[in-house]
Amino acid sequence: MKPFDFVKPDDQEAVIAALAAHSPNVRILAGGTDYLVELKHVSQSPGTVVDVSQIAELKGIEETDDGLRIGAGMTHSEIMVDPLIKKHVPAMIHAAHTIGALQTRNLGTLGGNLVTCVPSMDSGPTLVALDAEVTVAGPDGARRIPLTEFFVGPRKTILAPHELLIDIVIPKKNLGKPANFYKFGLRKGQALALVNAASSLWVEDGKFKDVRISLGAVSPVVVRAPKAEASLEGQPVSDELIGEAGKIAVTECHPINDFRASLDYRKDLIDVLTRRTVQAAVEIATQE
């Protein structure tokens, strides 16, 4: 491990000041489940590491006028037991449960999972399917953007070195929206997703409404499947249409062919997981 300077600010304002002072040779440390591993193998010093693990402004889950605010520093384990998550977005609990082992969930944060930005992240699809937004803060103030605009490429977001992810907001209109998440890996626990998927929708007068389908590990970043969504929107709920949506979703993705799975196998998974998540969301919607 290369030597580096370590800073542990007391609040969000001090974090942003530290990032600005040491940019661009600065990195943020939250749970450390990804970065500490990386830090042991980098060829150059990161310069300065800023610890944000105890920053109060990055904690908490609360209902606001805008929707459900989830602090970027909330751990996956905290998300899994939070009553507001259980009430409004239970699909997030399922997604959090698939992330690593218990120790990883106890330390790893939602914000860290998003900022690390690996294509197979398990927290991304559900949030994208619920039209989540994120708040990014820097020396010039804060801005809120759709989560889909936050992702740029594998391990790359729009965050500049002097900026900080503050929170994730699920819009008020989507609280309680029927949603489902499904992950497929090579084993049941502690596995990277070959494909993961999430869908959210309403059923109104027997028809699909506000359909969202999101997929991970199928493109450089987590993506939506707008053509598959459009094939269902406003149509009467039917297994046939759900099956067609799965096939359409395959055409909207760019899965890879590697030692973990073939291109054709991943395409089959996209089809199957799209159908399963849409069907599960329909079942939730029609039970209410």
Side-chain angles (χ1 to χ4, degrees), residues 4 24-25 36 50-51 65 82 103 109 116 126 137 139 158 165 195 225 235-236 247 258 267 271 274 288:
F4 57 87
N25 299 316
L36 286 179
V50 179
D51 185 347
D65 291 340
D82 187 86
Q103 295 91 335
T109 63
T116 301
T126 302
I158 65 163
L165 175 62
V195 174
Q235 299 297 315
K247 293 180 175 61
D258 66 6
K267 287 183 176 180
D271 181 5
T274 297
E288 297 178 348

Side-chain angles (χ1 to χ4, degrees), residues 66-71 85 89 92 110 114 121 123-136 143-151 158 165 167-175 177 179 198 200 210 212-214 222 224 229:
D66 295 329
L68 188 67
R69 175 198 175 273
I70 306 168
I85 296 290
V89 282
M92 284 189 65
L110 177 59
L114 298 176
M121 71 172 77
S123 61
T126 302
L127 292 171
V128 168
L130 291 169
D131 298 325
E133 301 176 332
V134 294
T135 306
V136 174
R143 67 188 192 277
R144 184 172 292 172
I145 60 171
L147 179 58
T148 50
E149 296 180 11
F150 184 72
F151 304 135
I158 65 163
L165 175 62
D167 59 32
I168 299 90
V169 177
I170 299 173
K172 193 169 187 177
K173 66 178 183 178
N174 286 339
L175 299 187
K177 186 178 182 182
S200 74
D210 293 337
R212 298 289 185 272
I213 298 169
S214 178
V222 175
R224 277 180 52 187
E229 295 169 356

Side-chain angles (χ1 to χ4, degrees), residues 16-100:
I16 293 173
L19 294 175
H22 297 285
S23 180
N25 299 316
V26 63
R27 290 293 299 268
I28 294 171
L29 177 69
T33 55
D34 284 307
Y35 186 51
L36 286 179
V37 176
E38 178 186 337
L39 194 57
K40 293 177 181 179
H41 298 94
V42 293
S43 58
Q44 295 181 333
S45 169
T48 300
V49 173
V50 179
D51 185 347
V52 301
S53 60
Q54 302 302 314
I55 302 300
E57 293 95 329
L58 304 184
K59 299 291 187 177
I61 298 175
E62 60 181 337
E63 288 187 68
T64 70
D65 291 340
D66 295 329
L68 188 67
R69 175 198 175 273
I70 306 168
M74 294 299 290
T75 68
H76 305 297
S77 291
E78 290 170 332
I79 287 170
M80 289 172 64
V81 298
D82 187 86
L84 289 176
I85 296 290
K86 183 178 181 179
K87 176 182 178 182
H88 294 302
V89 282
M92 284 189 65
I93 296 176
H94 185 192
H97 186 75
T98 70
I99 297 174

